[in-house]
Amino acid sequence: MIMIQLRSRGAARYGAAFAAALMILTGCSSGVSGLRSTSATGASAPAPSPDPLTWSTCGKNLECATIKVPQEYTEPDGAQIPLAVMRHRATDPGHRIGSLIFNPGGPGVPATETLRNLPKTAGTPGAFSPAVLARFDIIAMDPRGVGGSQAVRCLTDKQRADAAGTAFDPAIPGGKPLPRLLTDAAAFTDGCVKHQSKEFLASLSTDNVARDIDQVRSALGEDKITYYGLSYGTVVGPMYATLFPHRVRQMVLDAPVDTNLWFGNSLTFLNDVAVASERTLNAWFKTCRTEGTAVCPFGAGDPQAAFDTLIDTLEAKPLKIAPAKGVTPGGELDGAMALEATRALAGDQHIWPLLTLALLAAQDGNGAPLYTLWTSVTVSPFPVPTTMFEAHTAVRCADWQTPAGIAAHKAAATKATTEAKRIGTRAAYSALNCARWPAPNKDRVTKPLTGAGAPPALVVGGRLDPVTPHHWAENMTRTLDAAVLLTREGVGHGSYGINSCVNKAVDAALLHGTHPADGTVCKTDTPATTRPLVPAKR
């Protein structure tokens, strides 16, 4: 799951939020987004063959289409739902290999939007190389319930705006007293069934997404597909390879999720994510301290203590953020917002300099940079008030096994806040929506996603990933019937597109089906530093 949707690695990767934050800091101004089956074996009624896709031009070298698929594959002649599909044509059609389908994660990130923006975000995890773009038609399908495929809606605009206020307390597990969290969960889930049917919500599971992909493959006229998945896309990929092993040409799984854990206890899953985020924040603290105050002045040698003090200070007295045309509508920055923005920024070593700069500014009373960056966190493993999070929640609730009893959630909250001192409060109680989910998935995954019969997959894991910890990559490699593990050193979520060694290996796998030796390690291209990008005004 790419549960943090941020564009990073300098202005090219971080996009408008990065540029806006820098403008604020420098005083500049500008006018400038189980196998679904009826049995444990995965048997189901055959889906009807789809008609060929009808494409229309929708951008430079881009074509768009809509495909209708069964809402439930156990009822192939029943209700149909439309899915949005986009194609980036191979730039060297004379040497075209075939179609490469990709899922950028989330769940909840629209694949079509990601594909449309890829040329603008070179250096972003998942950005394809010119060689891959030359040889493949890149196919993006918005999964059911996401983006242009009937995006799930659970809150009104007013409810979402109210939730974006300063109502969270970073010192309280879950950010609010438990009775309030339970009330919020009831409002969220009631809103979900108010805006769409329970049958549709129950159909949003990953196994249906995999079957949808095979419908797209068939409509494209392809015998086999090549697949690249990032984060949650590494749940979709193994599911597809398990259901349709002989339809896979090659598969790359970047920032992998432990699929056994994804379909297992969601509370353990969320605890792993909190601990992973805490480790990346601690890595920033350690690097800042090691580099010394001449490089990283935040905290005067004790960044942890300075950070905790800053969060407490902001929570007690939020900073007013003045409106800035083309940058921010204004508002307030409190401790919870600062913690969430820091958690996201600390998860990518390429943007640590920006984090240092933003923290120094907030310490000096200028909260605009952190506030602007907070607004760019559109998908998170923990609740943030965005429409994308609504789709994210709906998909994972269709997949997850979440305890219904509150005692399990209380125990998990205690564990998270103990093992992840700062981030654990964000993880606490964040599965309550799924605990009372009104549309249970009754024909769940019933066996491990081994991909038996598919070609060996290339599994790429980051050593310090803030969302999908490295041991998940190890577990995925063990679960898959055939897989090779490639490790990237350093901090970051996703590796392809940001590391030259990984880029070479992924390109070789996608283009030629060749893999590095199992256990190969790629070093970082540039050492991590916390040095601010520009001197802070102090």
Side-chain angles (χ1 to χ4, degrees), residues 373-406:
L373 295 164
W374 174 78
T375 62
S376 72
V377 181
T378 56
V379 182
S380 170
F382 317 122
V384 285
T386 67
T387 54
M388 213 174 284
F389 182 76
E390 292 164 44
H392 175 83
T393 301
V395 173
R396 69 186 191 178
C397 291
D399 278 354
W400 283 5
Q401 294 185 40
T402 302
I406 196 62

Side-chain angles (χ1 to χ4, degrees), residues 165-244:
T166 56
F168 290 90
D169 185 340
I172 299 176
K176 299 178 183 179
L178 183 55
R180 176 64 186 277
L181 292 174
L182 291 170
T183 299
D184 288 351
F188 184 94
T189 53
D190 289 348
C192 291
V193 294
K194 179 180 179 180
H195 288 94
Q196 51 267 302
S197 70
K198 291 183 179 181
E199 291 76 16
F200 176 68
L201 293 172
S203 80
L204 301 180
S205 53
T206 300
D207 48 276
N208 271 343
V209 174
R211 286 190 160 89
D212 294 342
I213 287 175
D214 203 59
Q215 288 287 287
V216 171
R217 175 205 59 78
S218 178
L220 290 169
E222 300 279 17
D223 183 57
K224 296 185 177 185
I225 61 165
T226 302
Y227 181 87
Y228 170 85
L230 176 65
S231 198
Y232 166 73
T234 69
V235 182
V236 176
M239 180 69 78
Y240 185 83
T242 300
L243 288 175
F244 306 100

Side-chain angles (χ1 to χ4, degrees), residues 479-499:
T479 299
L480 288 170
D481 191 61
V484 169
L485 176 61
L486 176 67
T487 296
R488 172 196 45 80
E489 297 289 2
V491 177
H493 183 53
S495 300
Y496 180 53
I498 67 168
N499 180 281

